[in-house]
Amino acid sequence: MSSSRFDKEIASPELSLAGWARWIWKQLTSMRIALFLLLLLAIASVPGSIWPQRSADPNGVIAYFDANPELAPILDGIQLFDVYTSVWFSAIYILLFISLIGCVVPRTGVHYKALRAQPPVAPKIFSRMPASQSVTWAKNSDVAARAEKLLRKQGYRVVRTGKSVAAERGYVRETGNLVFHFSLIGVLIAVGIGGGLSHNGQRVLVEGETFVNNLAGYDSFSPGTFFREDMLVPFSMTLDNFEVDFDIRNRTNVGTPLDFRAFVSSKLTPTDTPKPGLIRVNEPLEMPDANVFLTGNGYAPYITIRDAKGNLVFAGANAFLPQDSNYTSLGIIKVPDVDRQFGIIAFFYPTAQALDNGAFTSIYPAPVDPLLTLNVYEGDLGLDAGISRNVYALDTSEMTQVAGGKAEIRGLQLKLGETVQLPNGLGSVTFEEIRRFASLDFAYNPGGIWVLVFSLLALAGVTTSLLTPRRRVWVRQTSGGFEVAALARGDDPALTDIVQNIVGELKGQQINRKGSK
Amino acid sequence: MGIALNVGLSQISLLFIYASMAIYTAAFLTFANHLARLASDKKKVRTQASRFESIAIVLLIIAALLHTVGVVLRGIAASRVPWANMYEFSITGALFVVLVYLTALSIKDVRFIATFVTGFVILILGAATSAFYVEVQSLMPALQSYWLVIHVVVAVLAVAFFNIAAALSTSYLLKTANWVNSSKKKSIGTLKRVFALFPAAENLERLAYRFNIIGFILWSFTLIAGAIWAERAWHRYWGWDTKEVWTFIIWVIYAGYLHANATRGWTGKRSAWLSLVGFAAVIFNFTVVNLFFKGLHVYSGL
Ligand code: HEM
C-alpha cells in the first residue's frame, strides 16, 4: 500500500526536526562550545576599545565621522560604534548564556542527587586509583571501624560496609561552581532590568542657579527603556557655592586640583526649608531616586551688557568650558533682544599672561589675575528659526566680526569690574564678577545593588569551588593487612600525601609529612 | 587643606630603585649562570652549580629589600599610597611579583623559574625608570578614594600571580615543544638539557594552574571593586570604558583558561597557550591601553 511507503519516510528518525534540535542542543551545551563562545566573547570585545563608542564617548564618534567620512558609515553599518549593544555581540553572549543554562540546570539535578547519595563503594582493584597503598600489618582487625572514625573527623562523609570504608569530601566544590554559574545569570538579568529602569541626566549649574528635577531641568537626559517622566521625584537643588583647592605649595605639583566641593541646598517640595548638602568627586549626594555626582566644573564670568542708551540688554553668567588644565576657558554670549543682534566669543584667563604674539594664556587655574577677552560678531544669531541652538557654539557664518581677529577693532579686554565700549555703537559691556559652575550628573539605577549582590555571590562561589579539593578515599581490610586508595576530581598533588597520612594514622604512628615526598 | 610633597625624598627613593635594579641584574646573571652550569656536560661544573643558586637567592632578597625601601619612600614622599601613576604601578607591581615569588619559594619548589621572574622584574623596572618616570604629584580628586588602595592593590597582586603562572606555562611549552625535543642543533640541545632539569611537565602545568586560579579570584575581585568605585566616581558601575573593556577581556580569557582545563583536548599545550594569551592581554592593558587608548582611566601621569 502506498501509505506504508509514507510511513517509512516519516519514520526516519535521524533527520527529523527533533533529532536535529537535540543534536544542536547537545553541541551548544558542550564544554567545547562554552569554551569557544567564551574566547569569541573576548575577541568580540576588542573592537569596542579601538573605535570610539556612542555610549562611552559620543563626541569621539562624531569626531571620527568628521575625520573619516568614507570609512565611518561602513564601520557604523557593522555596528562598530555600538559594539556592546550590537547584534553580533549580543548573539555571542546570548548563546553563551543559553549554553550556560543548558549546562548547569542538568548538573544541578545531578549534584542534588549526589548530595543525598552515599559515597560510591570501594573499587575492586585499589591500585588502579591515582594514589593507593597496600600495607601488610597484623593488627588489622578493627581497621575499618577506626578508618571510619578517622575520616569522619577529617570532614569526610563516610559509609562502612563490612570490612571496607568509602568516604568523600568536598561537595561544596560543585555547589560553589553551580552558585557561580547561576549568579552570572543573576548578574545578566540585573544588568538588563536595571538598565531598563535606570535614567541619568546632566545639568550645568552656575552658583546661584536652581535645578528642578523634571525633564525640562536637564541639559541632556538618557532614559532606560521603561522610563516614564512621572518617575522623576520633583525635588529642587540650588548650587550655593563651589570651592576648589589648587596646589600652590609643592613645586612639582603647582596648579593640580586637590579638592572640589559643591555646596548645595535642596528641597523635596517647594515649601520645604532648604537642606544643605555637599557633593565631592567620589562622594555623590543621595536624593530620592537619584544620586547626584560632580563630574566637572569651571568658570562662569558674570557679565552685563547695556545698549547705547544705557538700557540693560544682557545680564548673566554663562558657563565657560575649560580648554586646558589652567582653565583657559571659552564661552559664548548671545544678545538677541536688541535692534542689531550680536554675539560674543569670549575667553577667560584666571591668571592671564601675555604671550609674545600678543595672545594670552592662563598660567594658574585659580583667579589670581583674571582677564576676559571678547571677539564680537554682528548679524543674525539664527535663534528666530525656532531650531534649538547649542549654547556653547556661535554660528558666525551669517555674521561679521566687528572686534578681534581680522576686524579693524582689536579684541576687547576686561579686567574684573571694568567696563568697555562695544564697537559700532552696540553699547558697553561690564565684567561684574566671577562665578563658578558645576556639571552635575543625576543618576538612578535600581539594578546596581542586585548586580553587586550576584557578583559577590559569584565571587564567593568561584572561590569556594576553586579552592576546595574534592576527594574520595577508600580503606579496606585485607587478609594480611589493609589497603588505602584515593581519587580526586581534577588534579590534586596532595593525593599521595593523603594516602600516606591515612596509612600512618591507622597504624598509629606519627608520619613525617616532608619525608613522604 | 594641602599636602606636602617631598621631592628630595622621591629622589632618594629613585636611588634605591636604581640600586635594586643593579642587584636584580646581578641576581639574574647568577641565576642564568646557575642554569648554564647545570646544563654543562662537565660533571665538575655541574656540582658547583648549586652554590650559584644560593648566592643568587641571597642577591634577590637584598634587591627586594632595597626595592621595598624605594617603594615605601616613594609613598612617604607623595604622602599617599605609591600606586597612582604608571611609574608607581610599575615599581609597586614589580615588587609584588618578587614578594609573591619569594613567598612561593618558601612553600613550593619554584626555583627553576627564578631567571624568568628576575629578568621580567628588571624589564618592568627599566621601563618604569626610563619611560614612565614622573615626579611626585598629588592625587587628582577622582583618585582620592580608599578604593584606590583596595582596587589597585588587588589588581597588582593578581598580575603578580598571572605573571608567575605565565613563566611556568612558558617553561611548560618550551619543555614539551617538538622543535626543542627533536632539534639537532647544539644551542637548542643545551636548552633541552636545561629543561630536562625542570620539574616534570605535568607539575609545571599544575603549578601554573594553581597560580592562575589565585590570579583569577583576585582579578574577579578587582573587577567588582572597580565597578563599585566607578559607580562612586563616574556615576555608573560599568560603561565599557577602554580600561573596563580590557579588564573584562582578561577576565573572560582566564575563565576560558579554567574551562580549557576541564575540556577534553584542551588541557596541556592549548591551556598553556591560553595562560600566555591572558598574560599578554594583561601587559597590553597596562602598556598600550594606558598610553595610547582614549578613556576615563587617564592616570598614566605622562
Ligand atoms: C558566562 C559564561 C561562563 C563563565 C564566565 C564561566 C566561568 C567558569 C569558571 C571561572 C570556572 C572555574 C571555576 C569553578 O570551577 O567554579 C568554570 C567552571 C566550569 N564551567 Fe563555566 N563559565 C561559563 C559558562 C559555562 C558553560 C556554558 C558551561 C557548560 C557547557 C560551563 C561549565 C563549566 C564546568 C563543567 C566547570 C567545572 C570545571 C571543573 O571541573 O574544573 N560553564 N566556569
Side-chain angles (χ1 to χ4, degrees), chain A residues 28-31 34 38 96-97 99-100 103-104 107 173 176-177 180-181 184 461-462 465-466 489, chain B residues 209 216 251 255 258-259 262:
Chain A
L28 187 61
T29 56
S30 74
M31 270 309 257
L38 270 172
L96 183 57
F97 272 89
S99 168
L100 176 68
C103 185
V104 289
R107 271 174 59 203
R173 183 186 175 94
N177 181 298
F180 167 76
H181 285 92
L184 291 185
V462 79
S465 166
L466 286 175
R489 158 119 197 217
Chain B
Y209 179 75
F216 181 77
W251 189 81
L258 294 177
H259 271 218

Side-chain angles (χ1 to χ4, degrees), chain A residues 352-370:
Chain A
Q353 172 148 13
L355 298 171
D356 290 342
N357 62 6
F360 289 94
T361 186
S362 175
I363 55 167
Y364 188 69
V368 176
D369 184 14

Side-chain angles (χ1 to χ4, degrees), chain B residues 1 3 10 29 32 76 107 110 119 190-191 195 200 218 257 273 288 295:
Chain B
M1 171 81 215
I3 44 138
S10 79
L29 294 175
I76 298 173
I107 300 170
V110 285
T190 317
L191 193 66
F195 282 109
L218 294 170
Y257 167 85
W273 276 110
V288 179

Side-chain angles (χ1 to χ4, degrees), chain A residues 67-311:
Chain A
N68 309 281
E70 312 254 293
L71 186 60
I74 301 173
L75 299 183
D76 202 21
I78 48 174
Q79 297 178 297
L80 282 177
F81 301 114
D82 305 283
V83 166
Y84 306 104
T85 48
S86 68
V87 175
W88 42 275
F89 190 82
S90 310
I92 296 171
Y93 78 74
I94 289 170
L95 275 179
L96 183 57
F97 272 89
I98 293 175
S99 168
L100 176 68
I101 293 166
C103 185
V104 289
V105 169
R107 271 174 59 203
T108 309
V110 172
H111 184 52
Y112 180 75
K113 282 204 201 91
L115 279 177
R116 337 196 93 216
Q118 305 285 11
V121 294
K124 277 216 174 68
I125 304 170
F126 273 30
S127 56
R128 288 226 180 113
M129 292 291 117
S132 66
Q133 199 172 338
S134 176
V135 183
T136 356
W137 194 46
K139 295 184 274 179
N140 68 348
S141 55
D142 63 341
V143 78
R146 291 201 297 120
E148 182 184 6
K149 223 167 107 196
L150 173 72
L151 289 167
R152 277 245 158 78
K153 217 170 71 196
Q154 292 183 352
Y156 286 83
R157 179 185 299 177
V158 189
V159 278
R160 177 151 66 102
T161 35
K163 288 179 177 172
S164 63
V165 170
E168 179 159 12
R169 61 172 285 180
Y171 293 85
V172 290
R173 183 186 175 94
E174 182 71 1
T175 312
N177 181 298
L178 292 171
V179 167
F180 167 76
H181 285 92
F182 275 114
S183 301
L184 291 185
I185 303 172
V187 170
L188 188 72
I189 292 173
V191 167
I193 296 182
L197 288 170
S198 74
H199 50 82
N200 82 81
Q202 292 73 37
R203 171 66 190 264
V204 167
L205 266 190
V206 178
E207 283 170 317
E209 282 183 348
T210 299
F211 159 82
V212 179
N213 190 24
N214 54 41
L215 282 184
Y218 287 104
D219 297 330
S220 58
F221 190 78
S222 38
T225 338
F226 312 130
F227 173 78
R228 293 187 323 269
E229 187 170 4
D230 61 9
M231 287 174 172
L232 293 175
V233 180
F235 61 82
S236 71
M237 179 178 285
T238 306
L239 179 64
D240 297 325
N241 189 15
F242 190 83
E243 291 179 2
V244 190
D245 295 326
F246 295 107
D247 194 356
I248 198 161
R249 276 174 51 194
N250 300 291
R251 185 176 56 76
T252 53
N253 206 45
V254 167
T256 308
L258 299 176
D259 193 22
F260 300 118
R261 292 178 297 274
F263 293 93
V264 297
S265 46
S266 56
K267 292 198 264 187
L268 289 185
T269 64
T271 51
D272 272 359
T273 42
K275 188 163 160 259
L278 169 63
I279 310 172
R280 296 172 67 203
V281 180
N282 276 318
E283 288 172 27
L285 183 69
E286 273 178 44
M287 295 301 292
D289 285 2
N291 280 335
V292 190
F293 297 83
L294 177 61
T295 57
N297 69 89
Y299 289 101
Y302 186 82
I303 291 165
T304 52
I305 298 175
R306 286 164 204 283
D307 66 13
K309 296 191 207 88
N311 299 321

